[in-house]
Amino acid sequence: MKLAWSAERASKAYIHTVQSCQNFHESGVAEMISAMAAGWNTKLIAETWSQGGVISTSMGLSIAKHYTGGRHVCIVPDERSRSEYSSRMIETGMSPEIMVGEADEVMNDLVGIDFLVVDSRRKDYHRVLRLAKLSNKGAVLVCKNVSSKPDSSSSFMWRSVLGQGSSHKLVRSVFLPVGKGIEMAHVSPTGVNNLVKGKRWVRHVDQRSGDVHFIRT
C-alpha cells in the first residue's frame, strides 16, 4: 500500500486555504502545503512550530486534515510556544493537537507520520527529520524557509536525513520557489524504491502578483 493522489482533494484544500489565509503573510506557502497534504490523503500530519512563527501553514494543514479525516499534530519546544500557538489557532477557529518537548522527547509518540513539515530556522529541524517514525506506506517531507535558490546538495541532505539503515528510500526531491523556498521530498513505502511512475503537476497562484505557476513534483 502507498500514498494515493487525489487532485479533487488537493484543489478543495487549496481553495479553502486561499479563502482562510488571505490576510496572513506567507499564505502562498500555506496553500501549497495544504494542497499537497490533502492531495496525498495523509492521515498523520505533523509540523514543528516555535514562538513568533507564522500561523498560516498550520491553518493550511488543519484544513487538509478536514479533507483527509486524519490527525494534525504540532510539535512545540516549550510551554510559552504552546500557549501562543494555542491561542492564535483558537482565534482562527482551529485546534490541532499540540505536543510539547524537544524532538527526541516527542517523536517516539508519533508513529506512522506520512506528512511532516519542519522550519529550517528551527535549529533542530534535521534532528526532527531523522527521528520521525514514518508511515510504512511512504511519506512526504517538507522543509520551509530554506533559501531563495535551489540547493544542489538537497538530494544529499535528504539522503543523510533518512540514513543508510532506513527502511525508507528517497524517491525524489524538489525545490519549490514559493515563499522563502520549500524543499520537498518523497520517500518510498517500506522496502519499495519508487512511489509512482512519472511526475505530477501542481498549480499555484501567487496571491500578490497574480502569477500562475505549474510545479512538477
Side-chain angles (χ1 to χ4, degrees):
M1 183 178 180
K2 53 190 177 182
L3 295 175
W5 177 262
S6 167
E8 181 180 2
R9 273 195 308 267
S11 178
K12 287 181 178 179
Y14 185 95
I15 294 171
H16 190 164
T17 307
V18 168
Q19 294 170 340
S20 300
C21 296
Q22 57 186 340
N23 295 324
F24 290 83
H25 296 298
E26 295 191 13
S27 61
V29 174
E31 294 149 6
M32 173 61 64
I33 291 177
S34 178
M36 296 299 283
W40 285 116
N41 197 28
T42 49
K43 298 303 181 183
L44 179 50
I45 301 169
E47 66 166 325
T48 62
W49 191 88
S50 298
Q51 190 174 12
V54 298
I55 211 71
S56 54
T57 300
S58 293
M59 293 174 64
L61 293 174
S62 285
I63 288 169
K65 180 197 74 170
H66 171 76
Y67 290 99
T68 67
R71 293 173 62 195
H72 170 206
V73 181
C74 183
I75 302 165
V76 299
D78 49 47
E79 285 297 328
R80 291 182 65 184
S81 295
R82 184 205 62 76
S83 178
E84 180 183 332
Y85 181 83
S86 177
S87 62
R88 290 175 66 183
M89 287 300 285
I90 288 173
E91 289 176 359
T92 71
M94 302 174 186
S95 54
E97 299 176 47
I98 304 174
M99 298 183 69
V100 182
E102 298 301 324
D104 50 359
E105 297 175 326
V106 299
M107 297 309 285
N108 279 333
D109 295 325
L110 285 175
V111 180
I113 296 171
D114 47 17
F115 200 91
L116 175 61
V117 181
V118 298
D119 190 335
S120 68
R121 293 181 296 192
R122 178 167 161 161
K123 62 182 181 181
D124 65 344
Y125 78 97
H126 271 101
R127 185 165 176 78
V128 173
L129 290 167
R130 283 196 299 269
L131 292 173
K133 297 184 180 299
L134 304 179
S135 168
N136 290 334
K137 67 180 181 179
V140 177
L141 309 177
V142 179
C143 184
K144 63 180 187 176
N145 296 315
V146 288
S147 71
S148 59
K149 298 179 180 180
D151 183 352
S152 60
S153 65
S154 62
S155 292
F156 172 79
M157 180 193 78
W158 289 119
R159 288 190 171 91
S160 68
V161 164
L162 291 171
Q164 292 184 348
S166 174
S167 59
H168 297 277
K169 304 301 179 184
L170 178 68
V171 176
R172 59 177 176 263
S173 62
V174 62
F175 175 85
L176 305 180
V178 181
K180 296 180 180 178
I182 295 175
E183 282 280 359
M184 181 176 291
H186 260 146
V187 300
S188 68
T190 304
V192 178
N193 289 326
N194 293 293
L195 276 175
V196 293
K197 294 181 179 180
K199 294 182 179 286
R200 301 182 185 277
W201 292 92
V202 177
R203 179 175 180 270
H204 174 262
V205 181
D206 189 311
Q207 296 302 302
R208 294 183 179 178
S209 68
D211 293 339
V212 180
H213 305 281
F214 288 91
I215 300 171
R216 207 175 186 187
T217 66

